[in-house]
Amino acid sequence: VILTHESVPQELTILPIGTRGTGDAPFLVHATSSSNLPPVFEILSGPASINGNLVTLTGDPGGVTIRVTQPGDGVYRAAEEKIVTFLVGDWLQVAKMGVSQSSWANFAILDDGSLWSWGYANALGQLGDTGSQRNTPIRIGTDNDWVKVDVGPNYAIGMRSDGSLWGWGANQFGSLPDASGGAKTVPTRIALSKTWTTFSVGNNHGAAIADDGTLWTWGLNSNGQLGLGDTTQRNTPTKVGTNTTWSKVYCGATFTIAL
């Protein structure tokens, strides 16, 4: 009799790394696997080296991208890799308007209204262009009127001072609400139906408040996160109810909260 078994899946969890100073002492990257097998760390780019999970900075400014893997063993299969990025240096002290970051990319709006990105990317254009990973911040376009940026797992949406929304990166499940379904490799205007005052994005859905106080949602809806009374995906912004007094909205991974 030959006994066989299926390998068990495992998942990596990694804590985000905040901005570091060029003179900071070596520090640990904290990651675990659901199998309790040790993660493997690799510097993909940036002014740092890594030994085990101990990161040592070179003293130069820039962005650092780290890949975390776990190859598995006879029981557990290889985990899906994770990417974490962080900035080294002091230049973000001028980023008065906001900074947003995900596991694959970082974005900052400087006080002159310009939009910058760095970190890991691929052909889907997550960094706002068609380039690959960055170890230093790169400006996106030439506009100087960006006021907000928010990121999902593999896409981003930004808002400009005229209340327009712009999206780039992957476009699965209608996460970039323009009904095309295609990835955007540069910031592309989306959600054209309204002028917006604020917005937020989750894993694959988003929500925004228009200048008339109405609330609109779009994207994946498998958990009812769009607030529309069903679980049907929406590829364009869809109005939630009839109220006109909404003022704030926040999207979690698979839920939405509004005030």
Side-chain angles (χ1 to χ4, degrees), residues 34-246:
S34 58
S35 65
N36 291 320
L37 295 172
V40 178
F41 302 87
E42 176 188 2
I43 298 285
L44 293 180
S45 63
S49 61
I50 194 164
N51 183 10
N53 66 330
L54 180 67
V55 175
T56 300
L57 303 177
T58 65
D60 297 319
V64 177
T65 301
I66 300 174
R67 176 162 54 202
V68 186
T69 59
Q70 210 315 301
D73 60 8
V75 176
Y76 291 93
R77 72 184 66 161
E80 182 178 353
E81 72 175 33
K82 297 285 188 178
I83 300 293
V84 62
T85 64
F86 64 95
L87 189 72
V88 180
D90 300 325
W91 77 273
L92 270 181
Q93 290 179 359
V94 302
K96 299 176 182 178
M97 300 205 66
V99 178
S100 186
Q101 60 183 354
S102 73
S103 61
W104 53 265
N106 300 267
F107 297 89
I109 297 173
L110 297 184
D111 57 357
D112 64 359
S114 58
L115 179 63
W116 300 71
S117 68
W118 66 97
Y120 178 79
N122 60 24
L124 296 178
Q126 290 98 315
L127 292 182
D129 64 13
T130 56
S132 59
Q133 62 207 35
R134 311 270 197 268
N135 60 13
T136 57
I138 300 294
R139 186 171 181 178
I140 301 175
T142 59
D143 296 303
N144 286 89
D145 58 350
W146 296 98
V147 296
K148 183 177 181 180
V149 62
D150 199 8
V151 295
N154 52 11
Y155 71 96
I157 293 178
M159 185 167 73
R160 292 168 64 176
S161 60
D162 62 359
S164 60
L165 293 182
W166 300 70
W168 57 94
N171 193 15
Q172 294 174 308
F173 311 109
S175 51
L176 300 179
D178 68 347
S180 73
K184 306 288 185 281
T185 57
V186 296
T188 302
R189 189 166 182 182
I190 56 176
L192 302 178
S193 58
K194 290 286 183 179
T195 299
W196 308 99
T197 60
T198 190
F199 75 97
S200 182
V201 303
N203 275 357
N204 288 291
H205 80 289
I209 297 173
D211 59 358
D212 59 4
T214 53
L215 176 64
W216 302 68
T217 57
W218 62 84
L220 189 66
N221 195 26
S222 54
N223 293 289
Q225 56 263 51
L226 301 188
L228 299 170
D230 57 42
T231 55
T232 303
Q233 176 179 315
R234 303 297 199 281
N235 294 328
T236 57
T238 302
K239 188 177 178 181
V240 180
T242 59
N243 292 322
T244 59
T245 56
W246 298 101

